[in-house]
């Protein structure tokens, strides 16, 4: 079965600074990888997804993620953070079936 | 453009009561699932369905029942509510294995 680890529980970043959120997965084959964002009291919104092909994936809101098979990682990045990026971020991995496994999430705080 | 609709949005129950959380999608998706979200634990899969008449258990199925009589609806039943079931519940649907899940806005459930 697949699993996901998000090593950072909480990250604080200054507005305008860069952001990188880490995600490591465990799965024997090439997985389907996703990043979701959740604002307080809201549902989950898809930021980006990786299925195959180019390992650098562009998403919404200026986010990108890079799939590195050798490191079993799918880290999320944004060059310049806005105050509206304060939220909780979830990495998820899907295998050959329909099920997704989610990481525990990383909460991002943006300071002025 | 409704997507995935969950009702109710909030609910307070007493221990031992039963209730049904409703989930409906209008995207003709075959795959639907229920998750619970607890602080520090990400989303954990309760039950899922790969089509009408087909359901299976996820990671934390105890205390919950599901059925899938139509493609559109996937209700989650709490048989005898317990305080440990206090959580935020999300329903999601997905069209195929290589498509992301679409989430509802969640049901915030408190068991007293």
């Amino acid at each position: 079965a697949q699993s996901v680890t998000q090593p950072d529980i909480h990250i604080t970043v200054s507005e305008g600074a860069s952001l990188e959120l880490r995600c490591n997965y465990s799965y024997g084959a090439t997985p389907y990888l996703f990043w979701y964002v959740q604002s307080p009291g809201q549902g989950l919104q898809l930021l980006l997804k990786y299925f195959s092909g180019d390992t650098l994936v562009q998403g919404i809101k200026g986010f990108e993620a890079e799939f590195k098979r050798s490191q079993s990682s799918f880290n999320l990045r944004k060059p310049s953070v806005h105050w509206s990026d304060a939220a909780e971020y979830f990495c998820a991995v899907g295998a050959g079936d329909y099920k997704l496994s989610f990481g525990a999430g990383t909460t991002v705080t943006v300071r002025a | 453009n409704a997507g995935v609709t969950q009702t109710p949005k909030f609910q307070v129950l007493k221990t031992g009561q039963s209730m049904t959380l409703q989930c409906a999608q209008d995207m003709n998706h075959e795959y639907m699932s229920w998750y619970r979200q607890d602080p520090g634990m990400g989303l954990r899969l309760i039950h899922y369905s790969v089509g009408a008449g087909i359901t299976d258990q996820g990671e934390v199925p105890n205390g919950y029942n599901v059925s899938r009589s139509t493609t559109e609806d996937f209700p989650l039943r709490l048989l005898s509510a317990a305080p440990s079931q206090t959580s935020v519940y999300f329903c999601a649907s997905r069209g195929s294995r290589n498509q992301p899940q679409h989430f509802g806005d969640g049901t915030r459930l408190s068991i007293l």
Side-chain angles (χ1 to χ4, degrees):
Chain A
Q2 66 272 27
S3 64
V4 179
T5 301
Q6 293 181 246
D8 304 304
I9 297 173
H10 190 193
I11 287 179
T12 298
V13 61
S14 297
E15 192 169 15
S18 63
L19 173 68
E20 182 168 13
L21 305 182
R22 295 183 291 165
C23 172
N24 295 100
Y25 69 90
S26 172
Y27 182 62
T30 301
Y32 303 135
L33 295 161
F34 308 86
W35 274 100
Y36 287 87
V37 60
Q38 183 182 35
S39 297
Q42 302 297 312
L44 279 76
Q45 180 183 21
L46 179 71
L47 284 175
L48 47 78
K49 59 185 184 288
Y50 171 79
F51 295 139
S52 64
D54 193 346
T55 56
L56 185 62
V57 180
Q58 301 297 320
I60 63 171
K61 304 185 179 187
F63 285 92
E64 66 177 25
E66 186 171 12
F67 170 56
K68 292 186 177 181
R69 184 190 304 274
S70 61
Q71 300 177 16
S72 297
S73 68
F74 188 57
N75 294 349
L76 181 71
R77 298 191 293 257
K78 185 168 185 178
S80 178
V81 170
H82 187 262
W83 63 265
S84 61
D85 293 321
E88 189 163 19
Y89 293 79
F90 293 94
C91 181
V93 59
D97 58 16
Y98 281 90
K99 292 183 282 187
L100 285 187
S101 294
F102 284 82
T106 299
T107 299
V108 173
T109 299
V110 180
R111 60 182 175 220
Chain B
N1 194 25
V4 179
T5 303
Q6 290 184 239
T7 55
K9 294 189 183 303
F10 303 93
Q11 185 70 50
V12 178
L13 293 177
K14 294 181 179 179
T15 297
Q17 288 184 314
S18 62
M19 83 159 294
T20 299
L21 308 186
Q22 301 292 342
C23 176
Q25 54 93 8
D26 60 359
M27 296 172 282
N28 201 32
H29 285 169
E30 290 297 320
Y31 181 75
M32 296 185 73
S33 54
W34 277 101
Y35 295 88
R36 60 178 289 173
Q37 183 181 26
D38 302 291
M41 305 189 75
L43 279 78
R44 292 180 292 169
L45 183 65
I46 305 171
H47 285 286
Y48 66 98
S49 169
V50 298
I54 306 170
T55 63
D56 205 349
Q57 296 180 351
E59 184 182 354
V60 288
N62 292 341
Y64 308 95
N65 271 358
V66 292
S67 60
R68 185 93 179 272
S69 57
T70 66
T71 299
E72 295 78 18
D73 300 300
F74 190 43
L76 178 72
R77 282 182 289 276
L78 279 70
L79 308 174
S80 178
S84 61
Q85 294 178 305
T86 293
S87 187
V88 181
Y89 291 84
F90 287 99
C91 179
S93 74
R94 191 176 183 188
S96 62
R97 290 188 179 88
N98 63 350
Q99 293 297 315
Q101 296 205 20
H102 298 258
F103 284 85
D105 289 336
T107 295
R108 284 146 184 85
L109 183 62
S110 293
I111 315 294
L112 305 178

